[in-house]
Amino acid sequence: MNTDISAIREVLLARIETLDDKASILRSPELKQLFAGIKDQPAEKRAAYGQAVNAVKVELEEIVARSQEKADDRAPIDVTAPWDVNATLSLLIPTTHGTVHPLTQEIEKIADIFARMGFAVSESREIDDQYHMFETLNFPKGHPARDDYDTFMTVETDKDDDPFIAPAHTSTMQNRALVAGRAKLEAGEPIAVVVPDRVFRNEDLDARHEHTFYQVEGIYVAQGVHAGMLIATLQKFLESYYGTELEVRVNPFYFPFTEPSFEFALSCPFCGAKTEDNSKGGDPNCKVCSGEGWIELLGCGMIHPNVLKAADIDPNEYTGFAFGCGIDRLVMMKYGIEDVRHFESAKLDFLEQFS
Ligand code: PHE
């Protein structure tokens, strides 16, 4: 064998013993150099030289293959074995754990507060129909308020030739809660349900608007329910959630499914309005309420008789209230989060703050 070749072979055989990644020897500069040298040989020696170079490569490949077989023979990894934290850290393998999403954490707190007030907690769904989104909520076909909800709809249609919808509010669950609760009324108990879940709207996105966000719907029906009970329930809920006393302001509003309807504002938990007048109270530098001192938070009202009738509940015998509160807003205000889009952004820097 050519002396060059045998010298380099010795070097490579010695080195491969020391390598963890034995296959890397096949990419070594020395081996490349041997192959590159073939073309420089005089014609009569070229074939023999080439064969000798190739023999070195085959020899190395066999060593690599044997080492891999050996690796496969190693004992299986025992995943139940005690974990050596320091050894892991020393390898700089990340050891952080995932955390529960801040909205999930807050939804649990919200559900817990309502549960303590006697409400059952139920879930919505991510695909629904026109009947629950509109018809049972007193939006007849062609009602202009149907357009207020920027509802995503499917191309496929149901048996009535209507598209399916991605619920644009948790009120799609009102009729179901009422129908399921009828027996309770007959047994002399109230219907008291909250539904915290995800809703979808075809919105232009900005710091305050997401296409996917969360609401909590509240439904309460019994004999003699009145608007004072609605306001007291919401005030108690918000005070428990923020852990502070709050003033609330109730303005008239319009929803087809409640009559009367209200928009509910609370004094800013950060800079706190102490006046009924929007122009006064509140800190002009407050990032949360922009100095207004009040924050419009949710829609609510007394359940419209037609909504009760659609669930076969006699509006002359029973009355009720309903509310729908944006959860993202509530959480943003609690923690001073300035952009709703952080929630769906999968930014770990943001999410890890809530671990
Ligand atoms: N569903 C309404 C909305 O999303 C809020 C609401 C719920 C109003 C229940 C009244 C009663 O705008």
Side-chain angles (χ1 to χ4, degrees):
M1 191 188 287
N2 181 301
T3 47
D4 282 0
I5 301 178
S6 68
I8 292 179
R9 173 177 170 274
E10 293 299 327
V11 168
L12 293 177
L13 287 177
R15 188 182 311 150
I16 197 169
E17 289 305 315
T18 67
L19 290 177
D20 283 337
D21 175 13
K22 298 212 183 305
S24 67
I25 201 88
L26 301 171
R27 299 187 295 275
S28 65
E30 291 91 340
L31 197 59
K32 282 192 190 140
Q33 188 192 321
L34 285 182
F35 276 96
I38 298 175
K39 66 175 183 336
D40 301 331
Q41 299 302 311
E44 70 280 8
K45 289 197 185 155
R46 202 173 290 153
Y49 187 93
Q51 275 168 14
V53 169
N54 205 48
V56 173
K57 183 177 153 226
V58 168
E59 190 178 0
L60 293 169
E61 278 174 347
E62 279 166 3
I63 297 174
V64 171
R66 271 201 304 278
S67 77
Q68 282 167 350
E69 271 164 32
K70 242 192 254 156
D72 294 343
D73 282 351
R74 280 178 309 192
I77 294 170
D78 176 5
V79 292
T80 64
W83 178 41
D84 182 346
V85 183
N86 291 326
T88 310
L89 283 177
S90 70
L91 290 172
L92 291 180
I93 294 173
T95 53
T96 48
H97 296 272
T99 55
V100 179
H101 192 282
L103 285 175
T104 309
Q105 294 183 31
E106 297 307 304
I107 287 169
E108 278 169 14
K109 291 179 201 162
I110 291 166
D112 195 50
I113 295 171
F114 280 116
R116 279 187 280 128
M117 292 167 94
F119 285 82
V121 181
S122 161
E123 281 186 354
S124 179
R125 48 194 67 209
E126 300 198 340
I127 195 79
D128 212 324
D129 53 31
Q130 308 266 333
Y131 179 72
H132 291 93
M133 173 76 203
F134 296 124
E135 254 140 78
T136 59
L137 290 172
N138 195 35
F139 297 80
K141 273 216 159 77
H143 194 293
R146 284 191 177 206
D147 295 338
D148 291 348
Y149 283 85
D150 303 316
T151 311
F152 286 114
M153 306 205 183
T154 59
V155 176
E156 291 81 12
T157 52
D158 63 14
K159 59 179 175 5
D160 299 326
D161 224 17
D162 285 325
F164 295 97
I165 54 115
H169 55 180
T170 41
S171 301
T172 48
M173 295 304 290
Q174 281 194 18
N175 178 261
R176 294 187 178 96
L178 295 175
V179 170
R182 247 179 352 227
K184 287 203 154 199
L185 294 179
E186 280 151 24
E189 290 173 41
I191 300 175
V193 181
V194 287
V195 187
D197 218 326
R198 209 190 297 241
V199 294
F200 311 89
R201 289 192 197 174
N202 188 7
E203 300 258 25
D204 290 334
L205 306 188
D206 63 28
R208 286 174 157 252
H209 297 94
E210 250 292 9
H211 49 67
T212 300
F213 56 102
Y214 286 82
Q215 289 188 328
V216 55
E217 190 81 6
I219 300 140
Y220 188 88
V221 181
Q223 281 178 339
V225 176
H226 55 78
M229 294 160 84
L230 163 64
I231 293 163
T233 303
L234 287 173
Q235 178 156 7
K236 257 272 133 353
F237 158 65
L238 292 168
E239 288 183 352
S240 316
Y241 183 65
Y242 286 114
T244 173
E245 279 188 20
L246 297 163
E247 285 181 60
V248 299
R249 193 183 65 182
V250 181
N251 283 343
F253 204 73
Y254 172 74
F255 296 103
F257 37 97
T258 44
E259 180 59 36
S261 303
F262 311 108
E263 202 171 43
F264 200 90
L266 78 160
S267 60
C268 175
F270 296 100
C271 70
K274 291 288 173 215
T275 162
E276 299 265 298
D277 179 345
N278 273 353
S279 64
K280 294 187 212 137
D283 171 355
N285 297 320
C286 180
K287 282 200 188 126
V288 177
C289 71
S290 320
E292 288 216 346
W294 292 100
I295 294 162
E296 296 293 352
L297 198 60
L298 57 91
C300 57
M302 300 305 293
I303 298 177
H304 194 288
N306 287 350
V307 174
L308 294 173
K309 278 190 220 156
D312 258 334
I313 293 174
D314 180 358
N316 295 317
E317 200 174 340
Y318 299 102
T319 50
F321 63 73
F323 56 86
C325 175
I327 293 178
D328 307 61
R329 271 270 179 101
L330 216 59
V331 177
M332 286 168 76
M333 279 175 19
K334 186 171 186 184
Y335 295 109
I337 297 165
E338 78 290 353
D339 193 326
V340 67
R341 292 168 294 187
H342 289 328
F343 287 127
E344 304 277 336
S345 68
K347 282 186 198 150
L348 288 183
D349 285 355
F350 169 74
L351 297 171
E352 280 169 354
Q353 299 174 83
F354 300 88
S355 58

